[in-house]
Amino acid sequence: MPIFEFECSECKERFEKLLRSAKATTTCPKCGSKKVEKQFSTFAAHGGGAASPCASGSCPMGEGLPPCCSGGGCSLK
């Protein structure tokens, strides 16, 4: 079972949750809100020896780049 990272839209709490599938839903452990957003996980992008998604110097994620892709290059190469 994979671990997913989330951020609550209500209280901004960031947390990890072990879920059976990517389609499973969860609630915020701090405030109980169901308004949570799955976050880009640097572990998932680098797990299993995979290269960073932005190792080529440009990030395929477009707007709202994760921290590793700020400035068009990846700081986690």
Side-chain angles (χ1 to χ4, degrees):
M1 287 188 288
I3 296 176
F4 294 97
E5 297 177 26
F6 295 90
E7 182 174 346
C8 178
S9 297
E10 297 290 322
C11 70
K12 304 301 181 196
E13 175 78 5
R14 292 183 65 102
F15 61 97
E16 296 177 346
K17 184 79 174 191
L18 185 68
L19 299 175
R20 291 189 181 271
S21 77
K23 294 182 180 182
T25 60
T26 189
T27 58
C28 175
K30 184 176 179 182
C31 72
S33 173
K34 292 183 180 182
K35 295 179 182 180
V36 296
E37 296 179 19
K38 194 179 296 184
Q39 301 296 299
F40 178 78
S41 173
T42 56
F43 178 79
H46 294 81
S52 168
C54 48
S56 65
S58 63
C59 185
M61 307 252 337
E63 294 294 321
L65 300 177
C68 76
C69 297
S70 61
C74 185
S75 61
L76 300 175
K77 291 181 188 174

